[in-house]
Amino acid sequence: MSKKPSIVKGTRDFLPDVMAKRNYIFGTIKSVFEKYGFLPIETPSMETTETLMGKYGEEGDRLIFRILNSGDKLGKADAAALKEDNLAKFANSISDKALRYDLTVPFARFVVMNQNDLSFPFKRYQIQPVWRADRPQKGRYREFYQCDADVVGSDSLLYEVELVQIFDEALSNLGLTDFSIKINNRKILSGIAEVCGESEKIVPITVAIDKLDKIGKDGVVSELKERGISSAAIEKIDPLFQLNGSNQQKLDQLKDFLKESEVGLTGIEELEYVIEEATDLGLSQAKLEFEVTLARGLNYYTGAIFEVAANNVKIGSICGGGRYDDLTSLFGLDGMSGVGISFGADRIFDVMTELNLFPESALTATQVLFINFGEKEQKQSMIYAKELRSNGISCEVYPTDAKMKKQMKYANDRNIPFVVMIGSKELQEGRITFKNMVSGEQKEGDLKQLLTQFK
RNA sequence: GUGGUUGUAGCUCAGUUGGUUAGAGCGCCUGAUUGUGGUUCAGGAGGUCGUCGGUUCGAACCCGAUCUUCCACCCCA
């Protein structure tokens, strides 16, 4: 007796109908990336522990899936470390590699290793799965795909503008009509900490104000206290909660708040430029919103910070991104500024499912089914099928002369829009009968007439 | 990682204070219709009640463990 099989928590099988939709998402995003001149690369699923650990903060390290050493190597386990309760050291003695946690850090490693073969600024895109040992929830998986586009080797703000355009174009092309690209700048956050006289505590400060939406002003204030921010500093932060109006109005209010901070003002200048340029060029469906509280991925972002949220869908952010000046320096290459974005394909899938945004055309693979009436008829069908295929039309011949009802049902279940019948009568007359499965309309004719249906 | 929650047919779910043979709708299969799907009608198949263990004369139901789902933290696509 074999046990019932199962799959790992937080992972999924994808059936053909789901794959069709996923490929539609990947294809749409990919074509936008390519339109902006990004080139594809891939990196291995696993990286050395050294490459990954320490790049995402303490929380991140906990969420990295580690891969157990095999064979003799496993015998070198550091039992002493285990006894001493030094789990990190013990883990390192039995595991020297791990599954990638995102695509950005492996990309930084890739750039450093391949710098002599790349010309800069280097624009790449990468669509691959990543793994996180997180506790699954809705829209939150342990294996999911990221679609990343990054530019490395230029600090031009032109790229920030381009990436905003890419967010807008890709998501609009997918049929989303109500989403917000939220934008902030790490320099503004640094400025805020500086003005408050708590430059050291920028991380706890931003982590706390990032939650404003969720826990409200009082919640943020009490969290700031808990994190050891002085009450004088908390008072100074107060004006941030009062920001209101348009993007420009908010920036103007902030300009006053940050007038003593050079970095802060630089951040505002950068943001103003990006917002102005993107607005002038025009966005299709996206709303571009400046949000001071946005503090994603603080561990390596140094300039712009992006996040995209689908409005009216209860799911976390569907995209993220930002600029990171020092990322490759972690691997020994200085002076390489990078900026990039990431689409969360699985969450976009969930949003599109909820809003019913997949077009019928994304679900149809086979265009024509030939009904099988017997040996001779099948041979003729195969000849015609070959001709249709050479015209770029996907088609298939039913494999046996099963009952017609069964064959028709097969076409119906698979959403095949046309059925061709070549029975003894058609065979004799050298003609075909074709039926439109949507309208139910049926015609007699030849293959050319069928071909006109696809023009 | 912390606290909670869920699991019964392919799917969505009923199932009484523990009591004989666990139900419904949808889907699936067959036929009405030997050259016509999506509609209709008639019939049929399909369940070690997540898994393992315990309590009991007796467990889908009570207890424990474990796996899974979802939720709130944490964090994040």
Side-chain angles (χ1 to χ4, degrees), chain A residues 34-250:
Chain A
E34 287 178 351
K35 229 194 276 181
Y36 283 79
F38 288 78
L39 302 169
I41 69 158
E42 286 196 5
T43 63
S45 308
M46 48 194 134
E47 294 278 349
T48 65
T49 304
E50 231 179 14
T51 299
L52 262 25
M53 298 300 279
K55 308 299 191 297
Y56 310 99
E58 235 174 88
E59 274 304 311
D61 283 358
R62 203 194 77 209
L63 298 176
I64 291 172
F65 269 110
R66 309 200 54 170
I67 299 170
L68 195 61
N69 289 151
S70 20
D72 292 343
K73 274 188 160 180
L74 195 50
K76 295 174 186 161
D78 188 343
L82 184 60
K83 262 186 194 160
E84 288 163 25
D85 234 26
N86 189 341
L87 286 178
K89 194 176 174 196
F90 176 69
N92 286 335
S93 76
I94 57 170
S95 160
D96 57 14
K97 50 198 167 305
L99 293 173
R100 75 165 96 78
Y101 175 89
D102 71 357
L103 300 179
T104 306
V105 167
F107 174 55
R109 190 227 82 221
F110 172 98
V111 169
V112 174
M113 285 184 69
N114 298 289
Q115 50 185 294
N116 295 325
D117 299 315
L118 304 175
S119 66
F120 296 95
F122 179 59
K123 302 171 87 171
R124 75 87 229 232
Y125 74 86
Q126 187 171 357
I127 299 178
Q128 289 190 277
V130 303
W131 293 268
R132 294 186 188 176
D134 208 353
R135 194 168 289 203
Q137 271 180 45
K138 186 187 175 115
R140 189 171 209 178
Y141 308 98
R142 296 174 97 181
E143 178 182 62
F144 61 96
Y145 272 74
Q146 288 191 331
C147 311
D148 275 29
D150 289 78
V151 190
V152 72
S154 164
D155 57 10
S156 168
L157 289 174
L158 173 144
Y159 289 121
E160 270 84 342
V161 177
E162 254 188 30
L163 293 171
V164 167
Q165 289 180 291
I166 290 175
F167 274 143
D168 176 53
E169 197 169 326
L171 295 173
S172 297
N173 286 354
L174 285 170
L176 279 111
T177 54
D178 192 5
F179 60 96
S180 301
I181 302 173
K182 297 174 185 171
I183 181 168
N184 193 11
N185 195 299
R186 169 69 184 262
K187 289 174 183 142
I188 290 178
L189 296 170
S190 299
I192 289 169
E194 191 181 316
V195 167
C196 296
E198 296 270 16
S199 284
E200 306 290 298
K201 295 197 170 142
I202 174 170
V203 174
I205 289 175
T206 50
V207 167
I209 62 176
D210 189 40
K211 293 180 191 163
L212 183 61
D213 272 354
K214 222 177 198 173
I215 59 179
K217 185 187 158 182
D218 294 342
V220 174
V221 169
S222 61
E223 177 144 349
L224 285 169
K225 274 182 198 156
E226 265 169 51
R227 289 173 184 267
I229 311 298
S230 71
S231 42
I234 294 176
E235 244 170 75
K236 277 196 178 160
I237 289 172
D238 195 66
L240 288 185
F241 302 127
Q242 321 297 339
L243 294 187
N244 59 61
S246 67
N247 288 333
Q248 191 55 55
Q249 284 167 332
K250 284 191 208 165

Side-chain angles (χ1 to χ4, degrees), chain A residues 225-406:
Chain A
K225 274 182 198 156
E226 265 169 51
R227 289 173 184 267
I229 311 298
S230 71
S231 42
I234 294 176
E235 244 170 75
K236 277 196 178 160
I237 289 172
D238 195 66
L240 288 185
F241 302 127
Q242 321 297 339
L243 294 187
N244 59 61
S246 67
N247 288 333
Q248 191 55 55
Q249 284 167 332
K250 284 191 208 165
L251 282 167
D252 287 341
Q253 293 160 46
L254 201 59
K255 234 182 252 178
D256 184 53
F257 179 80
L258 292 173
K259 57 180 181 274
E260 306 290 317
S261 164
E262 201 182 316
V263 248
L265 291 175
T266 309
I268 289 186
E269 252 173 59
E270 288 185 14
L271 211 45
E272 274 178 333
Y273 174 82
V274 175
I275 291 175
E276 201 180 308
E277 290 298 307
T279 309
D280 285 353
L281 286 161
L283 295 173
S284 171
Q285 301 290 335
K287 297 172 192 67
L288 187 57
E289 294 171 10
F290 164 52
E291 205 166 292
V292 228
T293 59
L294 180 63
R296 293 278 120 171
L298 211 70
N299 283 299
Y300 46 70
Y301 292 139
T302 53
I305 302 173
F306 303 112
E307 178 174 306
V308 180
N311 298 322
N312 304 321
V313 181
K314 209 186 146 199
I315 202 164
S317 57
I318 54 176
C319 308
R323 180 172 285 279
Y324 36 87
D325 281 332
D326 307 317
L327 193 65
T328 56
S329 70
L330 290 167
F331 300 109
L333 180 62
D334 292 328
M336 275 285 176
S337 186
V339 59
I341 56 174
S342 178
F343 288 76
D346 297 84
R347 284 195 179 171
I348 292 171
F349 181 95
D350 290 346
V351 168
M352 289 179 65
T353 303
E354 195 167 328
L355 299 177
N356 219 323
L357 295 179
F358 289 104
E360 195 66 27
S361 61
L363 310 178
T364 310
T366 301
Q367 296 292 318
V368 177
L369 176 74
F370 287 85
I371 301 289
N372 191 326
F373 285 97
E375 220 175 292
K376 281 181 190 159
E377 294 88 342
Q378 175 181 311
K379 187 166 174 103
Q380 185 55 247
S381 296
M382 300 278 283
I383 291 167
Y384 284 147
K386 186 178 175 187
E387 200 171 331
L388 284 185
R389 287 173 185 140
S390 71
N391 279 281
I393 292 162
S394 63
C395 58
E396 51 188 304
V397 179
Y398 200 86
T400 64
D401 59 346
K403 281 184 184 160
M404 192 159 171
K405 182 184 167 106
K406 191 169 177 163

